[in-house]
Amino acid sequence: MKLRRQRSCLMPGNGKSFFDSDRKATQQFSVRELLGRLTEKQRYVLTAEIFEDRDDVEIARMMNVKKAAVCRTKRRAVKQLRRILKVRQREGLPLC
C-alpha cells in the first residue's frame, strides 16, 4: 500500500491563504513556466501525480504504458526541473 503525501503545507486548514494574492499569482506563473519547459509526457505525469493525486499505477493505466515507464518519465522530469532551477539560481533569478 502506497502512503499518500500529506499536503498540509500546500493547503491551509482554516481557509486563509498562506500568501498574499500577488505572491500566489507569481508562484503559479513560475510553476506553469517550469512545467512548460518539460515534454508533454513529463508534464502529464507530474500534473497527474501532484495535482490529481494519482499514483504511478493509475497514471500508467491512463497512458497505456508500464509503471516503469511512468517512473522513468517522472525521474527525468524531476531531474530536468532541478537542472532548470540550478541554472536560475546560478544566474541570480528568482526560483519561484
Side-chain angles (χ1 to χ4, degrees), residues 80-94:
Q80 178 67 15
L81 289 175
R82 283 188 180 133
R83 276 192 218 121
I84 293 167
L85 290 173
K86 194 179 284 186
V87 168
R88 290 180 70 108
Q89 185 177 27
R90 212 174 334 164
E91 294 175 354
L93 298 171

Side-chain angles (χ1 to χ4, degrees), residues 15-58:
K16 295 180 183 176
S17 177
F18 287 117
F19 309 104
D20 63 337
S21 60
D22 289 341
R23 183 170 175 193
K24 189 172 183 179
T26 302
Q27 288 176 334
Q28 288 173 349
F29 175 76
S30 295
V31 170
R32 284 191 189 120
E33 180 185 355
L34 288 172
L35 288 175
R37 307 266 311 264
L38 300 175
T39 66
E40 185 176 348
K41 189 188 297 186
Q42 290 172 335
R43 208 171 24 251
Y44 183 82
V45 168
L46 286 184
T47 55
E49 179 173 347
I50 296 168
F51 299 115
E52 298 172 16
D53 202 30
R54 298 186 186 273
D55 63 17
D56 293 350
V57 175
E58 290 175 298

